Amino acid sequence: MIIRPFERDDSSACHSIYRHYVENTVITFEEQMPPEPEFEERLRLIASRYPFLVAESDGGAVIGYAYLDAFNARSAYRYTADLSIYVDKNFLHKNAGSRLYRELETKARQSGIHSIVSIITAENERSLRFHEQMGFRCAGELKNAGFKCGRWLSVKYYQKSLA
């Protein structure tokens, strides 16, 4: 497995990975899969401002991606970034997520990021454990913050200080 910077040609593979999470899970609160050109533009903008990495299998296929993005648009938040990690459903439990995160954290430090925040659906136990293993701590919970798949869902804010 290779961890490398995102390239524009990776957009289609990232779109395919993300589609599973939008259409089949409550891991993301996005309810409709964005059209591929819109998604590609979204990723291009993120990659132009923040670290964005992909995991590539030994065969050269993109099997996961992770990026940091603005936590909040107001300028005082400029040293805090929001984390997203998505791994192909067929490659879960193969360390792609942890390898992506560790490299992304290194890039965040180099970029001057002071704090990383991750907003996690409260019932996503796998992600909660993952973040705790990576050194994140729960900073709070918003009860019934979103409605997807016919039910109200709470989110937990996890935070890691890089200082």
Side-chain angles (χ1 to χ4, degrees), residues 17 30 36 57 59 83-84 103 123 128 150 152 159:
I17 291 167
E30 194 148 22
E36 199 162 339
S57 71
L83 170 67
S84 292
E103 184 64 28
E123 66 183 49
L128 298 175
W152 288 103
Q159 182 179 18

Side-chain angles (χ1 to χ4, degrees), residues 105-163:
E105 182 180 310
T106 298
K107 301 279 186 206
R109 288 177 189 279
Q110 293 168 349
S111 300
I113 299 297
H114 177 79
S115 181
I116 299 175
V117 174
S118 193
I119 305 167
I120 308 164
T121 308
E123 66 183 49
N124 188 352
E125 292 292 331
R126 181 185 301 159
S127 186
L128 298 175
R129 281 191 309 277
F130 170 84
H131 283 79
E132 289 166 0
Q133 290 169 352
M134 295 297 123
F136 285 74
R137 295 293 167 252
C138 186
E141 182 173 355
L142 298 177
K143 301 282 188 186
N144 300 320
F147 188 83
K148 185 176 178 182
C149 296
R151 64 188 192 275
W152 288 103
L153 300 157
S154 299
V155 294
K156 292 188 177 187
Y157 279 72
Y158 269 61
Q159 182 179 18
K160 183 174 183 179
S161 174
L162 302 183

Side-chain angles (χ1 to χ4, degrees), residues 30-53:
E30 194 148 22
E31 295 182 282
Q32 298 293 319
M33 188 64 196
E36 199 162 339
E38 178 185 318
F39 189 77
E40 180 179 330
E41 180 62 14
R42 179 191 303 180
L43 300 187
R44 188 193 65 72
L45 285 171
I46 292 167
S48 73
R49 297 178 297 194
Y50 286 90
F52 192 143
L53 301 172

Side-chain angles (χ1 to χ4, degrees), residues 86-105:
Y86 294 97
V87 175
D88 184 300
K89 67 182 185 322
N90 299 311
F91 288 89
L92 296 173
H93 308 296
K94 299 197 185 308
N95 295 319
S98 57
R99 293 209 34 213
L100 281 163
Y101 174 73
R102 287 186 182 103
E103 184 64 28
L104 196 63
E105 182 180 310

